[in-house]
Amino acid sequence: MAESLRPTRSRIPGSGLAKGLAVTLRTMTKKTVTAQYPDAQPELPPRSRGVIGLFEENCTVCMLCARECPDWCIYIDSHKETVPPAAPGGRERSRNVLDRFAIDFSLCMYCGICIEVCPFDALFWSPEFEYAETDIHELTHERDKLREWMWTVPAPPALDPGAEEPKELAAARKTADKLAAEAATAAEAAELEAQAAEQAARPEPPATGSTTGTTTTTGMPDPSKPSDPQDGAS
């Protein structure tokens, strides 16, 4: 019943063969280009999955990448160290120190789960692919080699101009604006205090009154000056 409801398409005999020959003819007319490797390095896509680079400073030995790896090809060793208190009277803390971080690329299937689950951005994809070895045991690379591959990681692509701003940048900008406003308020208050202190330290001018003739500000004649005879006449 279902087959009878399907629309029937009229096919020209030999149309499939004609399409295949057309593809063959187009390919035959193109110029053959040979990549001169290794003299000329290939242009890889920006998100190529070559090897995994380790940014050791961001690793907190949380073991999340090793636990989530489906091939169990990540080996991590660490020890704990006691950190002195940051302030006098504080408590000592303990932290994990990375001793070994190795990846067995003979087992790795390049799924990228370890990079996705790392909460501190310590693992990155590198486009480096020239790490073949004659012995399979030499494909287990330690953290020194992973550290060297970290410098071959390309820069992240630019964000879409129409995309929303990341929450981390918005929070950081908000905190920076708040600190800048507090600093400006403190500077203004300090300037006002300096002006008030300068005015308080400035000596006050002596109080002087106006005199008319030989009469002082109190209205009494000045005995040190001769009196004008016109004053008595008036």
Side-chain angles (χ1 to χ4, degrees):
M1 183 65 180
E3 294 180 357
S4 61
L5 296 178
R6 293 179 180 175
T8 58
R9 297 180 180 178
S10 59
R11 300 185 60 183
I12 302 175
S15 60
L17 178 61
K19 290 181 179 179
L21 290 175
V23 174
T24 303
L25 291 175
R26 287 198 303 269
T27 306
M28 290 175 61
T29 56
K30 290 183 179 180
K31 183 180 180 181
T32 304
V33 179
T34 303
Q36 301 297 329
Y37 179 82
D39 297 333
Q41 293 293 329
E43 295 182 2
L44 301 176
R47 300 183 65 182
S48 299
R49 296 189 176 187
V51 290
I52 299 174
L54 171 66
F55 192 58
E56 189 175 338
E57 285 76 3
N58 287 357
C59 182
T60 60
V61 200
C62 64
M63 305 293 292
L64 192 58
C65 57
R67 290 198 300 265
E68 296 295 333
C69 178
D71 291 334
W72 291 83
C73 63
I74 301 177
Y75 310 106
I76 300 176
D77 293 332
S78 64
H79 70 278
K80 289 188 176 182
E81 287 185 356
T82 303
V83 180
R91 296 178 56 185
E92 295 182 348
R93 297 177 300 150
S94 61
R95 68 173 181 179
N96 293 324
V97 179
L98 184 65
D99 293 330
R100 184 194 183 198
F101 195 108
I103 299 178
D104 187 357
F105 285 98
S106 65
L107 297 177
C108 179
M109 63 179 185
Y110 303 90
C111 63
I113 293 178
C114 57
I115 298 176
E116 296 296 332
V117 301
C118 180
F120 301 103
D121 293 335
L123 298 175
F124 296 88
W125 278 118
S126 168
E128 184 69 30
F129 63 93
E130 297 175 326
Y131 57 97
E133 300 290 347
T134 57
D135 189 357
I136 193 174
H137 297 91
E138 297 180 359
L139 286 175
T140 301
H141 296 287
E142 301 293 333
R143 64 176 183 176
D144 295 336
K145 189 64 177 179
L146 301 180
R147 173 84 175 192
E148 294 179 6
W149 282 331
M150 182 62 204
W151 310 124
T152 62
V153 175
L159 297 178
D160 188 357
E164 296 182 359
E165 187 180 32
K167 296 181 180 179
E168 295 82 2
L169 291 180
R173 183 174 290 104
K174 184 177 180 181
T175 303
D177 294 342
K178 183 179 179 180
L179 293 176
E182 292 178 356
T185 304
E188 185 177 358
E191 184 178 358
L192 293 176
E193 290 180 0
Q195 292 179 359
E198 184 180 357
Q199 292 179 0
R202 186 180 301 170
E204 296 182 359
T208 58
S210 59
T211 59
T212 302
T214 57
T215 306
T216 61
T217 56
T218 57
M220 301 296 293
D222 189 358
S224 59
K225 294 183 179 180
S227 59
D228 192 354
Q230 294 181 356
D231 292 341
S234 60

